[in-house]
Amino acid sequence: MTEAAAEREVASLAEAGVSLSSSHLTDEGELEGKRANGVFQAAANGDLLLGEAAASASDKSQAGEEEEEPRARLVPLLVRGGGGEALAGAQRGSGAVRTALSPRRFAVLLIFSLYSLVNAFQWIQYSIISNVFEHFYGVPLTDIDWLSMVYMLVYVPLIFPAAWLLDWGGLRRTALLGSGFNALGAWVKCGSVAPHLYWVTMLGQLLCSVAQVFILGLPSHVASVWFGPREVSTACATAVLGNQLGVAVGFLLPPVLVPNTKNDTVLMAHNIGIMFYGTASVATFLFILTIIAFKERPPYPPSESQAVLQHNPPEYSYKQSIMNLFKNTPFVLLLISYGIMTGAFYSVSTLLNQMILTYHEGEEVSAGLIGLTLVVAGMVGSIFCGLWLDYTKSYKQTTLIVYILSFIGMVVFTFTLNTGHLFIVFITGGALGFFMTGYLPLGFEFAVEITYPESEGTSSGLLNASAQLFGIFFTLAQGKLISDHGPPAGNLFLCAWIFLGIILTALIKSDLKRHSVNLGIRSVDIKAVPVNSPEE
């Protein structure tokens, strides 16, 4: 770098509010005081810079070799004011920080998605063959429904300490608890393979429901901490995808592994044991992987918004964070509308077997395949919505459109259940799942945007708590309506609530705070500085 180029670099940094004296540059354009890992710290306006500047790229050893693509850039940090608002660096002091993407992020995302899958599988594995477990344990059908509803019941009181633990103990501890309780509950259920041991299987399911508390709120947090701004929505959708895939497997495998052998209880117990022991083995393997590979955060923040939070953390108060969220009117509207949509999905998933068997007796396997179609279509919808959000950042518009299409899908599904043709139910169920299940990551990401810089774990936890409360209410009410008046009455009950959710979604003011921070920093005219150092 020539001396003139060095002067232009200093001028560029000065325009962005980063005060560097020319003494930081040698005649060769290199940074003085550069540490071995290629970063430095300097003072600006008398304050210590709140991050580390990326060093310049090393010279190529061979002539004609192309320069490597920059892996990091020099970014001015925002400084948080006394009122908790982010102020521009030029107003309260400036800094520079290196941002980089870690390749480990894919392993973290994969492991989380897989143990979330197993947890969701254990949630739905009873409901899709509820008539089989009703006969095996000799208990009323309502007791079998409670094996699924216990997930919703436990979540509500435990989400607040779980969200606090995520902010106090960190991502890794929370992930270990989720994966650990998941494996423990699976092994407890292995001891319930006898007709008189319903209480043991309920205990195992209770432990799995505790695991869920440490799982459902993590997708947006994992995505924000590990992934860059152009991939964060897709990463969140992928994390949610793991849970959806678990529901899909839960619809598919139990009817195949545990067929309805009413006249052979011994064979039924053997088949249930195979399902329980297989689940426990997989859950244990994933717990070991979590211990080995799951880290708290990458070496460098993946985005400017994370750099602000990590290098200049606010004085955190969990109570104050909760109060801030409930004072945020757009979030409160989203809280209710998300609860309605997701609670309706939980209710439909829990009662799907009963709805299908009302019109198609003996079609347990078909009921499972319809559930599989519903969830797989929803997985495609989730990924599509995540990619769309990363490309457009049109959070409210996308959320509202998906909500309206979910309502239409629910109406069509309701009036095609009794046509006598299962293939029609497959089609309408798939369409319903594409939009209803595809909505889940939209709610997470929309909440993070309108509540930034509040913790993603807290906002996601409250959304899930709302979903569990509505899920319990909808499952009990819809189940009663199905028993007394048939599936159409129960489904129309859900349609009325989903229509209310459309109205509430339309009232949400779209203030994309996180996106504004990322966009504002990237728009500052600072030249990217390549860094030759490992990502990890």
Side-chain angles (χ1 to χ4, degrees), residues 40-319:
F40 75 95
Q41 289 186 332
N45 298 328
D47 295 327
L48 186 65
L49 289 182
L50 300 177
E52 296 176 337
S56 58
S58 61
D59 294 331
K60 298 297 178 179
S61 56
Q62 296 180 0
E65 185 178 2
E66 295 183 357
E67 292 186 357
E68 294 182 359
E69 181 182 355
R71 293 177 178 264
R73 62 173 145 228
L74 196 62
V75 177
L77 279 182
L78 301 180
V79 181
R80 194 172 307 280
E85 298 180 351
L87 300 177
Q91 294 172 324
R92 294 289 307 273
S94 302
V97 65
R98 175 187 174 183
T99 61
L101 295 177
S102 167
R104 184 184 287 269
R105 69 191 187 279
F106 298 111
V108 170
L109 183 63
L110 177 63
I111 293 170
F112 170 78
S113 298
L114 288 176
Y115 76 71
S116 178
L117 180 155
V118 175
N119 185 257
F121 171 82
Q122 296 194 80
W123 165 59
I124 205 67
Q125 67 182 163
Y126 295 98
S127 295
I128 198 59
I129 50 173
S130 56
N131 57 319
V132 175
F133 280 104
E134 178 189 17
H135 173 76
F136 181 74
Y137 286 118
V139 297
L141 190 60
T142 305
D143 288 356
I144 302 301
D145 289 341
W146 272 108
L147 288 170
S148 294
M149 288 191 290
V150 69
Y151 263 57
M152 310 175 200
L153 184 66
V154 167
Y155 190 91
V156 177
L158 292 186
I159 182 52
F160 296 103
W164 173 84
L165 179 65
L166 175 61
D167 290 305
W168 177 79
L171 179 60
R172 176 176 164 81
R173 286 191 180 94
T174 305
L176 288 174
L177 284 172
S179 184
F181 273 108
N182 201 37
L184 179 61
W187 282 110
V188 169
K189 286 193 283 188
C190 292
S192 68
V193 189
H196 64 285
L197 294 178
Y198 168 82
W199 67 273
V200 177
T201 211
M202 175 58 83
L203 176 60
Q205 195 73 339
L206 182 66
L207 292 171
C208 293
S209 65
V210 173
Q212 179 206 214
V213 180
F214 300 106
I215 294 174
L216 284 188
L218 287 190
S220 58
H221 192 76
V222 170
S224 295
V225 170
W226 282 90
F227 288 82
R230 293 190 177 183
E231 57 188 12
V232 63
S233 296
T234 305
C236 181
T238 305
V240 175
L241 186 72
N243 200 267
Q244 296 170 1
L245 183 58
V247 177
V249 176
F251 280 130
L252 176 64
L253 285 186
V256 176
L257 296 175
V258 189
N260 190 2
T261 56
K262 288 185 179 179
N263 300 324
D264 194 343
T265 305
V266 175
L267 177 59
M268 187 179 291
H270 173 74
N271 293 333
I272 292 174
I274 290 176
M275 181 172 67
F276 284 169
Y277 277 101
T279 304
S281 300
V282 174
T284 303
F285 173 70
L286 291 173
F287 177 59
I288 294 172
L289 285 184
T290 305
I291 295 175
I292 296 173
F294 215 99
K295 301 299 181 183
E296 181 65 28
R297 62 168 58 93
Y300 300 97
S303 65
E304 293 85 342
S305 57
Q306 276 297 304
V308 172
L309 295 178
Q310 291 183 19
H311 288 264
N312 189 28
E315 293 184 3
Y316 180 74
S317 167
Y318 182 66
K319 178 180 178 181

Side-chain angles (χ1 to χ4, degrees), residues 26-46:
T26 66
D27 291 338
E28 300 296 326
E30 304 230 341
L31 296 171
E32 290 184 350
K34 187 163 106 175
R35 296 202 301 264
N37 63 358
V39 298
F40 75 95
Q41 289 186 332
N45 298 328

